[in-house]
Amino acid sequence: MPVNFEDPWFKGQEVSYNVSELQECAIAVDASYFLRQLLEQAENYNEPLLTALGGLTGIQARIQVELDNWLRNRTTPFFIFDGQPMVGQDKVTTKQGREIQKQTGVAWKLYSEGQAEAAVAAFGECANLYNIQALYPMLQAELRLRKLHFLVAPFNAAAQIAYLDMIDSDQCGGIMGPLELMLYPIQDCVIRSIDWVSNTCAAISKKNVMKVLNVSEPHFIDAFLMTGTPFLPPFPPLTDSTLVKSQPYNIVDAINMLRTADKSVTMVSTTFHDLIKNQDPTWLDKYRKAWMAVKHFVYIAESGEVKVHDADHLTNDNHEYLGLQIPWEMFHYLSTGLIGPRLLSWITHSQVYVLPTLDGSATEEYKKLVSSQLVPLEETALSLVLARLHRGIVYKDIKAKVWYDDNYSATVLDHRHEARTKTNYGVQMATWGVIKEADIKQHFPGFEHGSIFSEVHALTKPDFVKLTFAKQENKLRNVESASVIKSICLWRYLHVRGYIDDQHNLTNWGKALDRAMVTLEPVVKKFPTVPYLYESVLVAMEMVRFGLLNGSLKVVEPLSLPMHGDDDDKSSLMLISRCATLLKLRHQANGYTGPLSKNLLTFHSLAGEVRSAERALMEAILASLFLYGQGQRKRDDSWELSHQLPFLFNPDVALGIAVKTYFDETINWNSEKEKAERLATFPDAFVPYSMAFSEDLEIACEFFEAVYAGLQTLDGQGISANDLKAWSKANEYLSPRTLKDASGN
């Protein structure tokens, strides 16, 4: 998080008001700022182990409580979500992320040394490493449930909010968000926080700030930019303690520096030329791009058009500070939640940027995954969308950058050379037609659109397969049904990923996926309130295909390996635990208290990268369907349609840790009595706030067995004999350890 977000000088300029002044008003709220405040200021829901777990246990309850508070005060929040990153933002995020990774390294060292309290405190200082946008779907789902309108901005939410305030929009009577809002031509005040207990809110006046600082608006903007923003690193001399004795620096220090150089950023940069050259030689160029990006901010007008502020004075090189101009139709899909910003940012900035992970471990398998294995998925996703965009963008190479190596650069999409795969995915996807609902029910009475299981299992029926081919009478044209669109997207995805062949029959991997889901079906029916189980099977299969879901004991932290048994036992338990990490431990809103595992957090990072690439491909398939006019564009269910498709679910590692800890015990696993005692006493001792551990354990065990059942159908095709042997050993390890019911099952 940029330093000026926490600048104590600005805190001193805030003025308190009674929240009653906000009643009967709508307030435009920066969603990222709102969520970050929940993490940092929630006294009753503190979760210091966020970065150690890879997720939160009680955030949904916190969101609900906060929204209830707004409702009780008769104030309507109008949330604005960040869209694509600004030019330079990924680099700033990476630099800050690597600094925080060093802090998490210290926390993990303290934990390994048994200094639990110190480790928890150290982890608590690292919350900014967590990607707050991962919480967007949860917040948006709650807003949709409450029928509260929200908007996804083209780029940063602050610019969109500033536009609404600038025109005195009827949509909001006030604005709430980061100090970054003061970079833009807002009317004056920004709400910084609301205390529902004391019924007060704190706000800051831009006009008053400039008056106190005795600066003009251009001077203020220059100084503010120098202190650092999400898209511009701070001016290097400000961070030098020999120049600015009182650290951390603040905006007054930046203003004082400017006053020594005729209020010119260029001149002050010349003064400190040698220091800047050593620390950040391109800083001045970055500043100029940031200044132009602020001056010409992009927003969605109330008419629905995407516009550039002060467009009449836009320079010809605007792609350098705004990125490439993509069709407004794509911004519409972004603003309505049909697609997320990641795929669009690859195109806008001609760059795929891999951001820092929570564990900070750039293992060889991680490097191979992000630099090689996932590239074909990214290339496919890009090619599906670029085919419908204008030629200037299509003929622009797209590069890749990674957080762990500043010198790394590779080409994801090179228009001058053949694609890595010669498959024509456009032709492939065009083979899928619309199936009448009556025909679906006739051949598959229990068909559930979007479940993944139905789409896969239906293709085991030859008569159904015949109905899936596109003919003149059932081609996709302006389809309105969200159900049909979900199924078509899933079939196209499965086709692209090789689970379905060109005859629309299941491949070997498709049959393995089907067997796994059929095996898991009784569990899904038994626990109908536990979501994403079929999706997690698909993720597991993808992880196996990438060679990542195994029992390897080559780990980043040997101390968190299983303690008991021989190497085969330890390998088996690691494999079972990794499977469980793909699922969710149901937990109370209280913060997690229990054991940790850096090894499972590293696996969580691998799974997160796979999900992210798969989601980009899924959204590209969905977007291409609308770009080709195959789906009805004018609709009010875009968000639901998108968010009912897979790969948004990214659970924390709590269940994986719990499963590993539960089985890593020297009891007589052949004794039903000892197993029952272990199950009865385990939750209170290790996961005291879990809501249904015995059920979650059962689901995890059944999930492993389902995936194993699927892999057995491969008969050595597509999976190595050693890997399949490891799964067999893990199955033998697990079998006596599961608690049998009265019937012996």
Side-chain angles (χ1 to χ4, degrees):
M1 205 172 205
V3 174
N4 61 345
F5 275 47
E6 301 300 324
D7 190 336
W9 188 91
F10 283 101
K11 186 72 175 176
Q13 309 308 310
E14 293 178 2
V15 177
S16 181
Y17 299 90
N18 194 290
V19 293
S20 61
E21 296 188 37
L22 304 180
Q23 289 181 0
E24 311 303 335
C25 288
I27 306 297
V29 182
D30 185 306
S32 293
Y33 182 76
F34 169 83
L35 289 167
R36 187 67 69 185
Q37 280 198 327
L38 286 187
L39 298 187
E40 295 175 349
Q41 299 177 5
E43 296 180 2
N44 297 325
Y45 303 98
N46 189 28
E47 294 198 50
L49 296 178
L50 164 63
T51 52
L53 280 180
L56 294 145
T57 55
I59 186 66
Q60 186 166 6
R62 263 175 278 172
I63 290 171
Q64 291 169 345
V65 168
E66 190 67 15
L67 293 178
D68 287 343
N69 287 331
W70 284 78
L71 178 63
R72 271 193 292 271
N73 195 61
R74 303 201 306 277
T75 309
T76 303
F78 175 24
F79 284 95
I80 310 294
F81 292 83
D82 286 322
Q84 301 174 88
M86 304 270 283
V87 170
Q89 187 167 343
D90 286 335
K91 288 184 179 180
V92 173
T93 301
T94 295
K95 183 177 180 180
Q96 294 177 339
R98 288 195 301 211
E99 289 300 313
I100 300 175
Q101 282 177 340
K102 295 176 184 177
Q103 299 175 39
T104 61
V106 172
W108 281 112
K109 186 174 186 297
L110 291 169
Y111 181 76
S112 67
E113 294 171 349
Q115 300 183 54
E117 289 187 9
V120 170
F123 279 122
E125 296 295 319
C126 304
N128 286 339
L129 183 58
Y130 184 76
N131 179 14
I132 205 71
Q133 293 191 13
L135 301 177
Y136 277 10
M138 184 184 296
L139 174 55
Q140 290 171 355
E142 191 64 33
L143 296 176
R144 295 290 288 188
L145 187 65
R146 295 169 181 250
K147 294 181 170 51
L148 290 172
H149 179 57
F150 64 84
L151 183 68
V152 181
F155 290 93
N156 55 333
Q160 182 66 44
I161 294 172
Y163 159 74
L164 295 171
D165 190 55
M166 179 180 72
I167 66 168
D168 198 16
S169 171
D170 290 338
Q171 296 185 69
C172 63
I175 60 176
M176 178 178 179
L179 294 171
E180 182 191 345
L181 280 163
M182 292 196 289
L183 284 170
Y184 300 96
I186 59 174
Q187 293 199 28
D188 189 20
C189 287
V190 177
I191 298 171
R192 297 285 290 146
S193 62
I194 300 176
D195 187 334
W196 301 108
V197 176
S198 64
N199 288 321
T200 59
C201 65
I204 189 168
S205 163
K206 179 178 177 179
K207 292 176 181 177
N208 183 65
V209 165
M210 290 191 295
K211 181 179 179 181
V212 172
L213 293 172
N214 191 27
V215 294
S216 64
E217 185 168 22
H219 190 185
F220 171 75
I221 292 173
D222 283 343
F224 193 103
L225 287 171
M226 287 174 67
T227 63
T229 72
F231 46 91
L232 177 68
F235 186 54
L238 284 174
T239 64
D240 191 321
S241 59
T242 63
L243 296 173
V244 180
K245 304 297 183 183
S246 179
Q247 293 287 341
Y249 60 85
N250 60 36
I251 194 168
V252 175
D253 299 310
I255 289 172
N256 289 338
M257 280 191 176
L258 282 173
R259 283 174 174 155
T260 66
D262 200 24
K263 301 180 182 179
S264 167
V265 176
T266 300
M267 288 183 65
V268 78
S269 296
T270 302
T271 302
F272 297 104
H273 175 268
D274 291 343
L275 188 153
I276 295 173
K277 183 178 179 181
N278 290 332
Q279 293 189 21
D280 193 346
T282 62
W283 186 88
L284 186 57
D285 182 57
K286 294 174 184 174
Y287 155 78
R288 288 169 175 157
K289 290 178 179 178
W291 191 91
M292 291 297 283
V294 169
K295 176 179 173 60
H296 298 292
F297 62 91
V298 183
Y299 59 89
I300 301 175
E302 291 195 311
S303 64
E305 296 177 87
V306 177
K307 292 187 175 183
V308 178
H309 181 62
D310 195 18
D312 291 342
H313 297 97
L314 201 61
T315 58
N316 291 332
D317 63 346
N318 61 81
H319 62 279
E320 294 287 345
Y321 50 87
L322 294 181
L324 297 176
Q325 181 177 324
I326 60 176
W328 301 146
E329 182 181 354
M330 299 301 292
F331 282 122
H332 171 70
Y333 297 153
L334 174 65
S335 68
T336 58
L338 187 74
I339 59 174
R342 190 164 187 253
L343 179 61
L344 292 190
S345 72
W346 294 351
I347 300 171
T348 298
H349 302 303
S350 302
Q351 186 169 261
V352 175
Y353 215 116
V354 181
L355 296 173
T357 60
L358 292 174
D359 64 292
S361 304
T363 61
E364 289 306 312
E365 62 181 356
Y366 176 83
K367 292 178 182 179
K368 179 182 177 183
L369 177 68
V370 299
S371 66
S372 176
Q373 291 176 296
L374 294 179
V375 172
L377 276 74
E378 295 162 349
E379 182 186 48
T380 302
L382 286 164
S383 65
L384 290 174
V385 174
L386 287 171
R388 296 295 292 175
L389 304 187
H390 57 73
R391 297 176 62 131
I393 291 180
V394 173
Y395 289 100
K396 181 78 172 176
D397 291 346
I398 295 179
K399 304 290 186 179
K401 298 289 288 183
V402 296
W403 62 268
Y404 54 82
D405 184 356
D406 288 336
N407 297 318
Y408 176 88
S409 182
T411 302
V412 175
L413 194 67
D414 187 341
H415 77 272
R416 292 179 294 269
H417 298 93
E418 288 187 13
R420 291 169 177 80
T421 172
K422 292 182 172 59
T423 304
N424 188 325
Y425 293 114
V427 172
Q428 200 177 64
M429 292 196 297
T431 62
W432 294 89
V434 177
I435 310 174
K436 294 179 181 178
E437 202 65 32
D439 290 337
I440 292 177
K441 298 303 181 185
Q442 178 184 346
H443 293 86
F444 202 118
F447 194 96
E448 182 182 347
H449 292 280
S451 69
I452 307 176
F453 172 61
S454 290
E455 280 79 11
V456 172
H457 195 56
L459 297 183
T460 62
K461 302 177 184 297
D463 289 342
F464 187 91
V465 170
K466 295 175 184 177
L467 300 173
T468 62
F469 285 93
K471 303 180 181 66
Q472 191 60 38
E473 65 273 12
N474 71 333
K475 282 187 176 180
L476 271 70
R477 298 186 189 90
N478 208 30
V479 175
E480 184 176 355
S481 169
S483 296
V484 170
I485 292 174
K486 283 186 290 185
S487 291
I488 292 293
C489 286
L490 285 169
W491 279 320
R492 287 177 168 181
Y493 164 82
L494 293 166
H495 197 167
V496 168
R497 290 299 296 138
Y499 292 96
I500 300 172
D501 62 24
D502 290 343
Q503 286 71 48
H504 293 193
N505 292 313
L506 296 177
T507 62
N508 287 338
W509 277 106
K511 293 173 183 175
L513 180 62
D514 177 63
R515 173 64 67 82
M517 290 183 174
V518 168
T519 304
L520 193 64
E521 185 181 15
V523 179
V524 175
K525 291 181 176 179
K526 183 177 180 180
F527 302 104
T529 60
V530 178
Y532 308 115
L533 293 179
Y534 288 136
E535 175 182 328
S536 297
V537 170
L538 178 56
V539 173
M541 287 295 177
E542 288 291 275
M543 296 293 285
V544 171
R545 294 175 72 186
F546 286 122
L548 301 173
L549 187 50
N550 52 48
S552 173
L553 296 178
K554 186 179 179 181
V555 294
V556 297
E557 181 52 72
L559 289 176
S560 60
L561 282 170
M563 295 183 294
H564 302 104
D566 57 23
D567 281 351
D568 281 347
D569 286 346
K570 292 178 181 179
S571 175
S572 294
L573 183 50
M574 283 304 296
L575 175 53
I576 294 165
S577 302
R578 285 168 180 151
C579 284
T581 302
L582 301 176
L583 305 171
K584 178 75 174 175
L585 176 73
R586 286 171 287 176
H587 199 278
Q588 296 177 29
N590 307 65
Y592 174 86
T593 58
L596 303 174
S597 172
K598 189 174 183 181
N599 294 325
L600 290 179
L601 185 63
T602 299
F603 178 78
H604 173 273
S605 294
L606 294 169
E609 295 291 354
V610 170
R611 283 192 183 94
S612 183
E614 303 279 4
R615 179 64 192 182
L617 176 57
M618 181 62 71
E619 289 184 0
I621 291 170
L622 177 61
S624 68
L625 185 146
F626 284 93
L627 287 169
Y628 279 94
Q630 297 170 342
Q632 170 62 255
R633 292 186 176 102
K634 190 175 182 180
R635 57 194 315 122
D636 58 9
D637 62 349
S638 294
W639 188 90
E640 285 78 10
L641 172 56
S642 174
H643 287 68
Q644 288 166 9
L645 291 171
F647 305 120
L648 283 173
F649 175 61
N650 193 23
D652 54 57
V653 300
L655 184 55
I657 294 173
V659 168
K660 170 186 167 292
T661 308
Y662 177 80
F663 287 122
D664 193 20
E665 183 58 58
T666 55
I667 69 169
N668 180 6
W669 289 104
N670 291 312
S671 167
E672 294 301 308
K673 180 181 178 182
E674 289 194 36
K675 285 190 287 189
E677 290 175 352
R678 174 68 171 166
L679 184 59
T681 58
F682 180 84
D684 287 344
F686 294 97
V687 281
Y689 297 117
S690 61
M691 297 171 65
F693 175 73
S694 62
E695 292 182 358
D696 290 339
L697 178 66
E698 179 184 349
I699 291 169
C701 294
E702 295 287 354
F703 178 81
F704 168 84
E705 291 175 0
V707 176
Y708 173 56
L711 296 178
Q712 284 182 297
T713 67
L714 293 171
D715 197 24
Q717 298 182 28
I719 185 172
S720 70
N722 287 337
D723 282 348
L724 195 56
K725 185 177 180 181
W727 278 85
S728 297
K729 287 182 178 179
N731 186 61
E732 293 170 5
Y733 171 92
L734 183 62
S735 182
R737 287 169 170 76
T738 54
L739 188 65
K740 305 295 188 294
D741 59 28
S743 64
N745 297 317

